[in-house]
């Protein structure tokens, strides 16, 4: 259940009728109507030739979204529904429970949802938005707009994304979720210093080149959360005791001090669901499969693990099968089929979902170790999902290989390519894509016969520079702005994804084995 709030309708003499304001020095009277302001001198009569007429700014005011921070107890509902209704635009907040979590946060019936945890959602399909809310856990940050104001903004053709950006005013960076593994020599490479202003506030210092710095922690960051627990109520001694118990690794949520101030001014919570992940040892993966003549080529088994819990496990990928080509690994746990959670589905229901998918489907998977990692942190593993690269069409693959072969270094690796483009009838002739909530962009589509194709852009290319500016750590919206600022000409530095990954040495193998000697009570389906 999910929902929203209107600011109460207010009517005063100033806005709904007339206001008389006598000043003893000038004898001027000011009368404000709904749309106009009249100023005149009563001694000279109402036909005063110097009477001025000005627009009332309130009549054309820009609608202001509202920030609602929700926090519930374990097992408690947020107390509202999120709906899509026929004849209405947007994600609509309905059935706000009086006295519930949603109502207490300021949600009102009819509100339109614009953002979930800093992510703009007005143009995202309803099931995905509902999924984002569910994955957020027991804390949630929503940006909503009064239903009537939303409809007025849409009818005026107002850009809602720009409205959201204007509301934020301050440009702040997202928090970072960093996993630090202890170095045998220098340890974790991090220290915490208490800040003035009460307990629970700590500044971070890092050892240059140490484990923490390599994991994405920066000097001067402020600590928000450690190993699944907020530090807002901890003393420095309690934090020190936590550090001693952490063993060989810790996972912390940090944010730079200026961004933290911005969050505090907006009364916005800093949540793991908003974070950019750094150095996390495990990620869920979304695999895209296209069925072959013999199906997908793997077994789905319901297995009971040593912990006593049962999971749907992917097994025995056939050599050369669609499953193997998609990167499926033996022993991975199945979390979703086509974006639908399998947590409450039976084995037979999952098999039905797969077979109803036709010739294509997506599966979201994770290793057993990965599931345990996120469970210990109290986070959903689906928060940080890597979308496995879809196989390119054979022609694109051959073209990429041919182009790359002309750009080989002596050691056989590909190097960055410089592409100069001029806007034509198809614009620049390409689309940019990104992995949601992660920095970095890639070429997602190249128009046939367009400027992008002529310049040598290929689907899957990683964008490294735009008009001479490095964009590897920038988000999609920032990269698009740089492209627009270049006008009719554009200079890109791009690189084949495989070569880029090798250059960055960021290929991280994921091992995924779930051993179970007991063969009883298995449910097995060949797919």
């Amino acid at each position: 259940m999910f929902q929203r709030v209107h600011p109460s309708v207010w009517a005063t003499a100033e806005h709904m009728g007339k206001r008389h304001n006598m000043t003893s020095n000038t004898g001027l009277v000011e009368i404000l109507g709904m749309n106009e302001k009249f100023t005149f001198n009563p001694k000279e009569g109402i036909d005063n030739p110097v009477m001025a007429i000005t627009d009332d700014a309130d009549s054309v005011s820009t609608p202001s979204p509202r920030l609602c921070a929700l926090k519930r107890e374990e097992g408690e509902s947020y107390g509202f529904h999120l709906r899509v209704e026929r004849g209405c635009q947007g994600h609509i907040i309905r059935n706000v429970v009086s006295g519930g979590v949603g109502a207490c946060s300021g949600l009102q019936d009819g509100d339109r949802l614009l953002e979930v945890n800093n992510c703009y959602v007005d143009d995202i399909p309803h099931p995905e938005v509902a999924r984002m809310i569910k994955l957020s856990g027991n804390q949630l940050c929503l940006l909503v707009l009064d239903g009537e104001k939303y409809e007025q903004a849409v009818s005026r053709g107002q850009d809602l994304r720009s409205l959201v950006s204007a509301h934020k005013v301050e440009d702040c960076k997202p928090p970072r979720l960093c996993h630090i593994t202890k170095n045998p020599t220098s340890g974790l490479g991090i220290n915490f210093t208490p800040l003035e202003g009460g307990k629970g506030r700590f500044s971070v210092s890092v050892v240059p080149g140490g484990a923490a710095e390599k994991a994405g922690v920066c000097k001067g960051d402020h600590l928000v959360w450690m190993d699944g627990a907020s530090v807002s109520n901890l003393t420095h001694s309690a934090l020190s005791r936590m550090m001693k118990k952490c063993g060989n690794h810790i996972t912390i949520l940090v944010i730079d001090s200026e961004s933290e101030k911005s969050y505090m001014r907006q009364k916005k919570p800093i949540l793991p669901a908003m974070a950019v992940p750094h150095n996390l040892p495990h990620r869920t993966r979304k695999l895209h499969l296209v069925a072959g003549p013999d199906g997908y080529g793997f077994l789905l088994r319901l297995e009971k693990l040593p912990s006593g819990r049962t999971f749907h496990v992917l097994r025995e990928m056939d050599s050369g099968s669609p499953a193997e080509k998609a990167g499926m690994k033996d022993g991975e746990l199945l979390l979703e089929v086509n974006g639908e959670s399998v947590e409450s589905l039976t084995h037979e229901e999952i098999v039905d979902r797969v077979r109803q998918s036709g010739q294509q489907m997506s599966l979201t998977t994770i290793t057993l170790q990965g599931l345990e990692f996120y469970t210990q942190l109290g986070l959903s593993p689906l928060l940080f999902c890597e979308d496995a690269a879809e196989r390119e069409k054979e022609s694109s693959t051959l073209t990429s290989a041919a182009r790359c072969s002309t750009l080989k270094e002596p050691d056989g690796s590909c190097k960055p390519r410089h592409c100069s483009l001029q806007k034509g009838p198809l614009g620049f002739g390409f689309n940019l894509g990104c992995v949601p909530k992660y920095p970095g962009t890639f070429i997602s589509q190249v128009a046939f016969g367009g400027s992008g194709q002529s310049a040598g852009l290929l689907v899957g290319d990683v964008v490294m520079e735009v008009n001479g500016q490095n964009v590897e750590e920038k988000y999609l919206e920032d990269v698009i702005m740089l492209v627009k600022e270049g006008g009719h000409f554009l200079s890109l530095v791009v690189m084949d994804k495989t070569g880029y990954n090798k250059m960055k040495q960021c290929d991280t193998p994921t091992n995924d084995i779930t051993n179970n000697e007991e063969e009883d009570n298995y449910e097995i389906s060949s797919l």
Side-chain angles (χ1 to χ4, degrees):
M1 293 171 58
F2 321 108
Q3 249 198 58
R4 114 172 198 186
V5 175
H6 303 261
S8 55
V9 178
W10 46 283
T12 65
E14 177 179 354
H15 289 81
M16 298 303 293
K18 297 180 180 180
R19 184 182 68 190
H20 298 270
N21 181 19
M22 301 294 297
T23 58
S24 59
N25 293 331
T26 64
L28 295 179
V29 176
E30 186 178 348
I31 299 180
L32 279 76
M34 284 296 291
N35 299 308
E36 298 177 322
K37 181 188 293 183
F38 303 86
T39 303
F40 61 93
N41 189 327
K43 294 180 180 180
E44 298 184 33
I46 198 164
D47 294 326
N48 185 351
V50 300
M51 181 177 68
I53 301 177
T54 61
D55 291 335
D56 184 352
D58 286 337
S59 66
V60 292
S61 61
T62 301
S64 180
R66 304 190 317 280
L67 187 71
C68 300
L70 294 76
K71 185 175 182 180
R72 65 183 182 184
E73 298 298 326
E74 191 66 40
E76 186 180 14
S77 162
Y78 279 126
F80 70 94
H81 288 161
L82 185 68
R83 298 181 55 178
V84 172
E85 298 178 359
R86 182 176 299 175
C88 296
Q89 290 184 261
H91 306 286
I92 307 175
I93 303 294
R94 291 296 190 200
N95 301 334
V96 182
V97 177
S98 178
V101 174
C104 292
S105 76
L107 287 180
Q108 294 180 357
D109 188 77
D111 280 344
R112 299 302 199 278
L113 183 59
L114 299 180
E115 279 194 343
V116 175
N117 294 333
N118 289 346
C119 182
Y120 184 76
V121 299
D122 187 65
D123 55 0
I124 293 179
H126 177 79
E128 180 62 21
V129 178
R131 178 178 180 271
M132 291 171 65
I133 293 173
K134 181 179 179 181
L135 296 184
S136 186
N138 291 328
Q139 281 190 276
L140 184 62
C141 185
L142 304 179
L143 189 69
V144 299
L145 184 63
D146 172 85
E148 184 177 344
K149 292 180 179 178
Y150 176 94
E151 292 171 358
Q152 290 173 353
V154 171
S155 67
R156 291 197 299 262
Q158 188 167 359
D159 184 357
L160 293 174
R161 191 184 288 270
S162 297
L163 186 151
V164 169
S165 299
H167 168 77
K168 293 181 178 179
V169 182
E170 301 169 277
D171 184 22
C172 57
K173 298 176 181 177
R176 281 160 281 128
L177 188 66
C178 306
H179 182 77
I180 309 169
T181 302
K182 184 178 289 185
N183 182 288
T185 304
S186 58
L188 293 169
I190 190 169
N191 289 298
F192 303 105
T193 304
L195 296 168
E196 295 182 3
K199 65 181 181 180
R201 303 194 66 231
F202 304 95
S203 178
V204 175
S205 59
V206 297
V207 175
E213 187 176 69
K214 290 180 178 178
V217 184
C218 301
K219 180 181 178 181
D221 280 343
H222 287 185
L223 180 66
V224 178
W225 178 97
M226 178 185 291
D227 284 343
S230 170
V231 300
S232 59
N233 293 315
L234 294 183
T235 61
H236 187 251
S237 59
L239 183 64
S240 298
R241 288 194 295 272
M242 281 186 68
M243 286 286 291
K244 290 178 181 178
K245 295 178 181 178
C246 72
N248 292 324
H249 51 78
I250 58 171
T251 305
I252 61 176
L253 184 68
V254 295
I255 191 170
D256 68 277
S257 58
E258 288 304 311
S259 294
E260 183 190 49
K261 291 177 184 177
S262 176
Y263 275 75
M264 293 175 70
R265 281 191 289 268
Q266 298 177 65
K267 297 182 180 180
K268 180 186 295 186
I270 303 172
L271 306 177
M274 301 173 175
V276 176
H278 284 261
N279 203 44
L280 296 186
H282 304 282
R283 298 274 189 92
T284 53
R285 300 190 305 140
K286 181 167 283 189
L287 310 177
H288 299 276
L289 292 82
V290 178
D294 299 320
Y296 293 108
F298 70 96
L299 293 182
L300 177 67
R301 306 204 314 188
L302 181 65
E303 299 185 12
K304 187 174 184 179
L305 303 184
S307 64
R309 297 181 63 189
T310 56
F311 290 95
H312 304 282
V313 185
L314 307 176
R315 294 290 190 188
E316 301 181 27
M317 292 83 233
D318 296 337
S319 178
S321 67
E324 185 183 67
K325 291 177 181 178
M328 188 180 293
K329 298 177 181 178
D330 187 77
E332 285 186 304
L333 310 181
L334 180 62
L335 300 180
E336 292 181 324
V337 175
N338 297 325
E340 180 184 3
S341 172
V342 302
E343 186 176 4
S344 60
L345 299 181
T346 65
H347 179 84
E348 292 79 8
E349 288 172 332
I350 296 174
V351 173
D352 286 341
R353 299 292 196 280
V354 171
R355 290 175 174 161
Q356 290 168 10
S357 298
Q359 294 300 302
Q360 297 186 48
M361 70 170 175
S362 67
L363 302 179
T364 309
T365 69
I366 194 170
T367 66
L368 175 61
Q369 296 89 341
L371 182 64
E372 292 173 344
F373 171 77
Y374 287 104
T375 299
Q376 290 171 0
L377 295 179
L379 302 177
S380 168
L382 294 166
L383 278 175
F384 307 108
C385 182
E386 293 180 324
D387 200 325
E390 294 185 22
R391 290 175 297 156
E392 297 179 4
K393 294 180 180 179
E394 185 176 355
S395 59
S396 297
T397 304
L398 293 174
T399 303
S400 177
R403 291 186 183 275
C404 192
S405 66
T406 65
L407 298 166
K408 294 280 186 179
E409 296 290 348
D411 63 358
S413 62
C414 292
K415 66 179 182 181
R417 311 192 310 278
H418 184 273
C419 301
S420 297
L421 297 83
Q422 183 173 352
K423 190 175 289 186
L426 300 177
F428 287 119
F430 70 91
N431 289 338
L432 289 171
C434 71
V435 178
K437 299 198 296 185
Y438 292 81
T441 53
F442 57 87
I443 305 298
S444 62
Q445 186 176 355
V446 178
F448 180 78
S451 181
Q453 185 185 51
S454 300
L457 292 180
L458 302 171
V459 172
D461 280 344
V462 177
V463 181
M464 301 173 68
E465 290 185 12
V466 173
N467 295 330
Q469 184 170 339
N470 187 279
V471 297
E472 292 173 83
E473 293 300 319
K474 289 187 178 294
Y475 289 83
L476 178 62
E477 291 182 0
D478 298 325
V479 177
I480 291 175
M481 287 301 297
L482 287 174
V483 171
K484 289 181 178 179
E485 289 170 2
H488 290 276
F489 297 91
L490 178 63
S491 173
L492 298 179
V493 175
V494 299
M495 191 172 183
D496 165 72
K497 182 178 179 181
T498 302
Y500 181 82
N501 287 341
K502 288 180 179 178
M503 183 182 73
K504 291 295 183 179
Q505 297 181 345
C506 63
D507 288 332
T508 305
T510 52
N511 295 323
D512 179 21
I513 302 296
T514 55
N515 295 319
N516 191 337
E517 300 299 328
E518 189 177 335
E519 293 292 333
D520 295 332
N521 299 320
Y522 278 2
E523 291 189 65
I524 306 175
S525 297
S526 177
L527 299 167

